[in-house]
Amino acid sequence: MGTEFPHVSTATKWLGFVTAVWIQAISGNNYTFPNYSDALKSLMHLTQIQLNSLSVAKDIGKAFGILAGLASDRFPTWAILLIGSVEGIIGYGFQWLVVSQRIQPLPYWQMCIFLCMGGNSSSWMNTAVIVTCIRNFRRNRGPVSGILKGYVGLSTAIFTDLCSALFANDPASFLLMLSLVPFVVCLAGIFLLREVPPANSTEIQDKEESRYFGLFNAAAAAVAVYLLAFGFVPNPSTLLSRVFAVVLLLLLVAPLGIPVYSYFKARGSDRFKPALDMEGRVNEALLPSHDRGKETEAERVKESAQDTEAAVMIGEEHTIVEALKTVDFWILSVSMLCGVGTGLSVINNMGQMGLALGYSDVSIFVSLISIWGFFGRIISGSVSEYFIKKGATPRPLWNAASQILMAVGYILLAMAVPGSLYIGSVVVGLCYGVRVAITVPTASELFGLKYYGLMYNILILNLPLGSFLFSGLLAGILYDMEATPTAGGGNTCVGAHCYRLVFIIMAASCIVGFFLDILLSIRTTKVYDKISLSKKNQYILDDIK
């Protein structure tokens, strides 16, 4: 890799990022459970607790993401992607066989295993993508996290709207997509996504990266608005649905223009490099005395930047055991549990929440959570990065804001006023997106990148734990207490009372998370002061040069 020309290395990095975007756009299949949960419930004659336990099994798959974290430090990116794609086609493939009734319903424990495999497959994909891209773009971790996690949020809407457009919301066809599409996309990632050695950073390169990330944000926003618009089209015709699918694929392919442009631009710059290097050596030999003083100033600022960077990046020396011994890790982890655990409870139970409030089709609410989750992820990633550079604002402060807004959303859902499910879906999606996108770079800044793959997956354990506590136990038990048994097994509940107490308890949990995030912001103020100073010193050094 070290023998590559700079323009090749640059293009490889950006081509890998485009591929990462595609993988993330299809790796959020773990959030699509509401689209086929009702089919499983009726086919297998399940109670709500049993159905929620299946959703917990799906989320427990993420607990085994620790294996992906361990593997990411020992195996190349392509191997991690291959494992995830194969596991996904098996896990979702067997669910498709059951829902399409090609085979008899499997025993409950076997279904739990296949849902667990499907959930775990996305952990391997996400680990490969996040770890590789964070390392490739170390100085822009916020935008990288926001864009990639944003596309994860969009993936639910992408799958949902494609299924609605092409297969009329048929749950069997939906599961077939979940099993085949990620496998095909990951095959592309095996060849195109890899870690690129970091280049010497300059202010020009940083500005160029920021400009490219702005283009990625614009492309992602276009996809989000397009999906949102299609979701409100009443009964689209077959022709319109197919046109929608074609245009959506074109929008997803559009970011390929960025690595192509980057390649030709860098290639053109390389042609003039030998002459510039020669001129630079001549001028260096003829430096006058006042320029030598300027050079001394450059050395002083460089040393200051290096000292600051060493202090900031001390997290790279944290082993997993050392990180687990810190108070900051546990504050970050518990506050994450309060946010993502409650959010997952809404996502997993949206099918039954919609039915309880009189909505026979909940696809619009699933899409709203997905799309606004995207906006939360992509905006928070870029905005938090900007405020670190300008004012050293700690990232956890944005998590605190999302927690208090999420609590307001749950109170609205508990009140069950007209339109509350629409508003609640938007608020929960937005805040869940912020929570996920902000935690990813925060962990890398506090604990470093050396063992980041494993650290990331340890934090992700909050997803299955939160799913178990808030969805499997809280929502499942309280729903069944209010539900009426149905003929042939199972039960159902209609009315605002079905989930009212669930929403109130989740609002209280978010308030606890709010105070924890405020505490973490206070504790990490000095760390973010140093990060901000490091970035400013680097820019001063580039100006002096």
Side-chain angles (χ1 to χ4, degrees), residues 265-279:
K265 181 180 179 181
R267 185 179 182 183
S269 301
D270 288 345
R271 292 178 180 176
F272 301 99
K273 209 164 197 178
L276 291 174
D277 287 346
M278 181 65 71
E279 183 180 350

Side-chain angles (χ1 to χ4, degrees), residues 14 140 205-215 389:
W14 286 109
N140 285 283
Q205 289 173 336
D206 285 344
K207 288 182 177 178
E208 186 176 73
E209 283 191 4
S210 298
R211 185 166 62 251
Y212 289 162
F213 284 132
L215 293 175
K389 293 177 181 178

Side-chain angles (χ1 to χ4, degrees), residues 75-227:
F75 299 104
T77 302
W78 67 264
I80 309 299
L81 284 175
L82 182 62
I83 294 171
S85 61
V86 170
E87 191 175 22
I89 202 170
I90 295 173
Y92 287 104
F94 273 92
Q95 293 178 61
W96 167 69
L97 290 173
V98 170
V99 172
S100 64
Q101 300 185 44
R102 282 171 168 77
I103 62 174
Q104 291 296 316
L106 298 172
Y108 187 80
W109 67 271
Q110 291 184 17
M111 288 299 296
C112 287
I113 291 175
F114 287 119
L115 265 85
C116 182
M117 290 183 67
N120 184 244
S121 67
S122 62
S123 294
W124 290 84
M125 298 176 198
N126 291 336
T127 299
V129 164
I130 292 293
V131 172
T132 302
C133 291
I134 287 286
R135 287 174 177 170
N136 282 349
F137 300 95
R138 294 168 183 248
R139 291 180 62 83
N140 285 283
R141 301 179 195 187
V144 167
S145 172
I147 293 169
L148 294 180
K149 286 298 180 182
Y151 272 98
V152 173
L154 280 182
S155 65
T156 304
I158 290 172
F159 278 125
T160 300
D161 286 358
L162 280 177
C163 183
S164 176
L166 301 177
F167 310 114
N169 289 320
D170 175 42
S173 300
F174 186 81
L175 280 165
L176 185 61
M177 279 201 309
L178 292 185
S179 60
L180 292 179
V181 173
F183 180 78
V184 173
V185 174
C186 283
L187 288 181
I190 286 172
F191 297 101
L192 300 177
L193 179 63
R194 66 175 186 260
E195 191 171 335
V196 178
N200 293 326
S201 180
T202 66
E203 184 177 6
I204 294 176
Q205 289 173 336
D206 285 344
K207 288 182 177 178
E208 186 176 73
E209 283 191 4
S210 298
R211 185 166 62 251
Y212 289 162
F213 284 132
L215 293 175
F216 275 104
N217 282 335
V223 173
V225 172
Y226 184 64
L227 289 168

Side-chain angles (χ1 to χ4, degrees), residues 446-523:
L446 298 185
F447 307 110
L449 289 171
K450 188 173 182 180
Y451 302 101
Y452 183 63
L454 183 55
M455 178 62 62
Y456 169 76
N457 281 284
I458 289 176
L459 285 171
I460 291 299
L461 286 174
N462 285 291
L463 271 67
L465 179 58
S467 177
F468 172 72
L469 293 176
F470 293 102
S471 182
L473 291 183
L474 180 68
I477 291 174
L478 294 182
Y479 179 94
D480 280 347
M481 287 173 59
E482 302 287 346
T484 303
T486 57
N491 57 21
T492 186
C493 182
V494 178
H497 63 284
C498 299
Y499 284 99
R500 179 171 288 127
L501 185 56
V502 176
F503 291 132
I504 292 173
I505 294 174
M506 292 196 302
S509 299
C510 285
I511 293 174
V512 172
F514 165 77
F515 286 110
L516 288 174
D517 286 322
I518 292 294
L519 176 61
L520 186 61
S521 299
I522 296 171
R523 290 178 60 88

